[in-house]
Amino acid sequence: MWETTIDGRTLHFHLAGINNQNFIMRDEETGSWWQQVTGEAILGPLKGQRLTRVPQDEISFVLWKREQPMGRVLRPDPRAAAAGRYAPADWETGIAKLPVATRIRDRRLDLRELVVGVTVNGHAKAYRMTDVQQQNPIIDTVGGVPLVIVVAVDGHSVRAFSRMVDGKPVDFFAKPEATVLVDTASGSEWDFTGRAIRGPLTGRQLAKIELLRDYWFDWRAYHPDTTIYSAGLHTAFFVAGYRAILVSSTNARSSFIEAKT
Amino acid sequence: MSRRLLWSLLVIIAALALAVVIVPAWVIQPFRPQSPRGLEVSFALKRLAPFVTIAALLACVALVVKLWRGARWSRVFLVIILLPPAVSAWFARQNHFEWMFNPLANAGYARADAASFVGDGDLVMAVARNGEAVAYPIRQLAYHHLVQDTVGRVPIVVTY
């Protein structure tokens, strides 16, 4: 998502082609070609210019609606819909089967593996979607910035936040039944928007960090120096720790139920 | 100029007109890797094509007129050979990517609570700017690829 005004001129874009499975757009005003994923003009009079990125979110509709009940939603184009041009609900499984045509030969991950990528202070890092889902939340540091990556209950909506609270990094674990993070410093509960909703830090807001859901080959093509997150001890420790809490609380609950019956 | 030379010229110009539009369409096709050099050549050809193909078509018409007299059985061929430059001149003015993925001419919007066309679990690309929030369902974006909008008074292009 990009701002279309550059040097006081508003550009109007058209689909103009494809570059290694990432599309190219052409602006009507100068005819320059722009790479969709980077917002950079790659050819033509504006070559080298960059559009300003607009912070975006890729989340499930139900979550968005809850957060933005007054928002507006793009309607399907009746002609495209009638012609059956729109992707089916399970489009991701279909896309996963499409061939990959790229010169990228970095097989650290499967080329069509779905990743979540973040770039902080020039450092790019990719997280396998399966890791993000299994280890929810991921506690990490990228480009010197401590961050947390969290998945909503729908299993698909992902957000990243800085873990800095009052100038200090905090750790989080997640309550699986809802999308709630708990920080280990104060025990406050934080919702999926990054706001503390219960506990001593209520009302505080974590700073959002931009992320991109992408396929490995595409992320790798535009972030050649990217590192890949590997499930480390830190997260394992938290997962284990939280499981222990869960198990003990479940035990307590079942013994309570036993006592009642 | 000998007739043979004029014939050769005609065939060469017709072939060149065709090449000017076919080369970029071939290089920039989905599911095929593109190199920076390939893109550069395609960009240059695409920019030149509208002029080059018209010039080629005019040259071919002139040659056909010149060869018409004296040609008997080969008049059919003279007509046929005008087709490639004519098609090229037309194609050079088309955006065939927009044939495949129609641009969204008049984007319409619904209120969040009235958007029954989106499934709860469907992913949306969302933006919030200066108090205005908009969601673009991925299933629609994946087809149109880009949508232009003004959100919170800022003109943007949503790309997918």
Side-chain angles (χ1 to χ4, degrees):
Chain A
M1 216 181 271
W2 308 98
E3 286 185 19
T4 51
T5 307
I6 194 161
D7 293 336
R9 175 160 56 173
T10 301
L11 304 176
H12 297 83
F13 292 97
H14 288 272
L15 189 63
I18 193 138
N19 178 13
N20 293 301
Q21 287 173 301
N22 194 274
F23 82 79
I24 297 168
M25 49 192 188
R26 190 192 67 241
D27 71 77
E28 272 174 29
E29 286 71 16
T30 75
S32 303
W33 282 8
W34 303 77
Q35 193 67 54
Q36 181 262 131
V37 72
T38 60
E40 185 183 354
I42 53 168
L43 288 160
L46 297 182
K47 184 174 172 172
Q49 300 252 43
R50 278 175 181 277
L51 300 172
T52 306
R53 190 183 287 278
V54 177
Q56 67 181 45
D57 234 350
E58 202 177 333
I59 56 174
S60 66
F61 178 62
V62 68
L63 254 178
W64 176 82
K65 194 163 64 170
R66 202 174 300 149
E67 291 179 10
Q68 303 285 358
M70 304 307 284
R72 59 182 166 98
V73 190
L74 178 70
R75 273 184 197 284
D77 176 53
R79 273 177 53 200
R85 299 292 187 88
Y86 290 132
D90 62 343
W91 59 277
E92 279 190 302
T93 41
I95 297 273
K97 290 184 197 124
L98 290 177
V100 175
T102 168
R103 293 179 204 275
I104 299 298
R105 292 285 170 268
D106 187 336
R107 299 300 174 112
R108 280 182 288 171
L109 298 180
D110 189 52
L111 290 179
R112 274 243 183 244
E113 173 128 33
L114 192 58
V115 299
V116 167
V118 295
T119 309
V120 185
N121 297 331
H123 293 264
K125 192 160 187 175
Y127 299 80
R128 300 166 69 207
M129 192 63 183
T130 47
D131 283 346
V132 173
Q133 287 162 335
Q134 278 165 17
Q135 305 199 353
N136 187 31
I138 286 181
I139 305 290
D140 201 9
T141 300
V142 180
V145 174
L147 52 79
V148 55
I149 298 178
V150 59
V151 188
V153 267
D154 62 27
H156 299 288
S157 307
V158 184
R159 278 182 180 151
F161 300 98
S162 160
R163 289 191 283 119
M164 294 301 276
V165 177
D166 296 332
K168 269 182 275 173
V170 294
D171 285 329
F172 290 95
F173 63 86
K175 285 178 139 186
E177 64 273 17
T179 314
V180 172
L181 291 174
V182 180
D183 76 75
T184 55
S186 74
S188 303
E189 296 190 359
W190 306 72
D191 70 9
F192 193 59
T193 65
R195 179 175 290 272
I197 47 167
R198 266 185 291 277
L201 296 177
T202 299
R204 292 300 195 68
Q205 175 71 50
L206 300 174
K208 210 181 227 179
I209 292 174
E210 276 285 292
L211 59 77
L212 186 70
R213 269 168 72 98
D214 203 352
Y215 294 107
W216 166 243
F217 77 87
D218 197 49
W219 176 260
R220 170 62 180 71
Y222 297 97
H223 304 88
D225 300 324
T226 187
T227 54
I228 302 172
Y229 173 78
S230 58
L233 279 174
H234 188 86
T235 321
F237 168 77
F238 274 95
V239 169
Y242 187 62
R243 291 238 167 90
I245 295 166
L246 255 189
V247 167
S248 58
S249 67
T250 317
N251 286 347
R253 203 178 306 144
S254 48
S255 48
F256 172 73
I257 293 166
E258 273 163 28
K260 257 177 86 177
T261 48
Chain B
M1 243 193 276
S2 77
R3 289 184 67 81
R4 175 173 294 214
L5 194 63
L6 291 177
W7 269 101
S8 319
L9 211 54
L10 179 59
V11 171
I12 289 168
I13 293 173
L16 276 178
L18 207 54
V20 167
V21 293
I22 284 182
V23 168
W26 169 257
V27 171
I28 309 176
Q29 60 176 311
F31 305 117
R32 205 183 155 276
Q34 283 80 26
S35 67
R37 181 89 192 113
L39 286 177
E40 231 170 87
V41 170
S42 303
F43 179 76
L45 288 178
K46 281 232 166 208
R47 293 212 109 183
L48 290 173
F51 315 105
V52 170
T53 51
I54 277 291
L57 180 61
L58 292 175
C60 287
V61 169
L63 285 167
V64 165
V65 168
K66 209 162 165 70
L67 286 165
W68 193 259
R69 234 187 267 196
R72 245 163 282 131
W73 61 269
S74 50
R75 280 187 182 167
V76 177
F77 190 68
L78 281 175
V79 173
I80 290 173
I81 208 162
L82 278 181
L83 276 175
V87 169
S88 302
W90 165 77
F91 191 74
R93 285 158 178 77
Q94 299 292 314
N95 181 352
H96 66 286
F97 291 100
E98 290 190 344
W99 298 348
M100 289 187 270
F101 305 102
N102 299 160
L104 193 57
N106 299 302
Y109 293 88
R111 285 165 38 138
D113 56 1
S116 53
F117 48 85
V118 199
D120 277 353
D122 285 356
L123 287 174
V124 296
M125 194 81 95
V127 60
R129 210 77 202 264
N130 301 328
E132 190 176 12
V134 190
Y136 308 90
I138 299 288
R139 284 163 67 185
Q140 283 150 249
L141 286 183
Y143 172 66
H144 296 296
H145 283 302
L146 53 86
V147 175
Q148 296 181 78
D149 198 359
T150 300
V151 179
R153 298 182 304 280
V154 181
I156 62 166
V157 60
V158 184
T159 61
Y160 191 81

